Amino acid sequence: MKLTHSSINTKVIFTLIFICTIFSSFASPFDNVKWEKSNSDKNVTLYYANGGDCNYYKTEAIVDKSYGYKAKDLMEILLNYKKYQEIFVKTMVFSPVKETDEGTVFYCRIDFSPMKDRDYHILMTVNDLGNTQILEWKPYNDADIMGEQKNCQRVNHVYGRWLLKDLQNGNISVSTEYYNNWKYKNLSLKTVTPFEKNVAFNNMKLFLRYISNTNAK
């Protein structure tokens, strides 16, 4: 089949659109963050970046191949919302509300100082890229789902992402990122930063503890 100049141009245009679509689908508020190492222990490394009205946080860890997991196995654990209160013990409510074309909407509530009685809706999406699994969430502000609850402070700026990657040596690289505005009253960002760092750090520790106690083998 002989290709004309116009048909070649059409193919080029569609190829460019396809490429742009792929890259735009992976756009994330975390992609261009300039991280600074903040803290680490033998299992977890914490990173931090100032984001203006609220901060960015990231933790990284390695899950040893001796546990018998693959990235997809860890993703299945994260997608089992009925286990969230068991894994992340300070989560009071983590409940699916509805399905959309993009993913699943959840209603969430946390209740620990200084983030007392905070609730929010998030839209969670999953990208299965083979050796890399991505779980990402962003605010879902549809007022028709649920009005503000009595004795709760509704927050509307809750972003996060889990990245799980199978490494060539059989281990799994695990990272999680957060970018949240919890609407603190009478507390400066400088005051709450150490606490938020500790929450991000401990969330990864809780996840690692859970998977070590539920060894895949």
Side-chain angles (χ1 to χ4, degrees), residues 4-127:
T4 65
H5 181 71
S6 60
S7 66
I8 292 174
N9 285 342
T10 300
K11 288 180 178 292
V12 170
I13 290 170
F14 277 107
T15 300
L16 290 174
I17 291 173
F18 178 72
I19 292 172
C20 290
T21 301
I22 291 175
F23 280 98
S24 63
S25 66
F26 296 109
S28 165
F30 304 104
D31 288 342
N32 298 313
V33 175
K34 296 181 179 179
W35 298 104
E36 296 180 13
K37 186 175 178 180
S38 177
N39 188 25
S40 65
D41 65 10
K42 65 178 182 179
N43 296 314
V44 180
T45 301
L46 172 69
Y47 298 88
Y48 153 89
N50 181 268
D53 293 336
C54 48
N55 295 322
Y56 294 90
Y57 302 97
K58 178 172 76 168
T59 58
E60 293 181 339
I62 297 294
V63 174
D64 192 87
K65 61 184 178 183
S66 62
Y67 287 111
Y69 290 106
K70 295 295 184 181
K72 286 187 176 183
D73 300 322
L74 299 186
M75 178 60 75
E76 287 183 8
I77 291 174
L78 289 171
L79 292 178
N80 186 355
Y81 67 90
K82 293 181 180 180
K83 292 287 187 180
Y84 262 58
Q85 289 168 286
E86 182 180 343
I87 301 172
F88 307 107
V89 294
K90 294 184 179 180
T91 299
M92 305 299 293
V93 179
F94 193 85
S95 179
V97 176
K98 71 174 186 178
E99 296 292 331
T100 73
D101 291 338
E102 293 183 72
T104 305
V105 178
F106 285 85
Y107 171 72
C108 315
R109 181 176 176 181
I110 57 175
D111 186 21
F112 53 95
S113 182
M115 297 180 288
K116 296 287 289 181
D117 297 315
R118 299 302 202 272
D119 73 343
Y120 51 93
H121 290 97
I122 54 173
L123 173 65
M124 297 187 72
T125 58
V126 178
N127 280 317

Side-chain angles (χ1 to χ4, degrees), residues 152-168:
C152 279
Q153 171 71 59
R154 178 62 53 83
V155 292
N156 303 302
H157 186 104
V158 181
Y159 294 86
R161 178 170 70 174
W162 284 89
L163 296 175
L164 313 169
K165 184 176 182 180
D166 291 317
L167 303 178
Q168 290 185 348

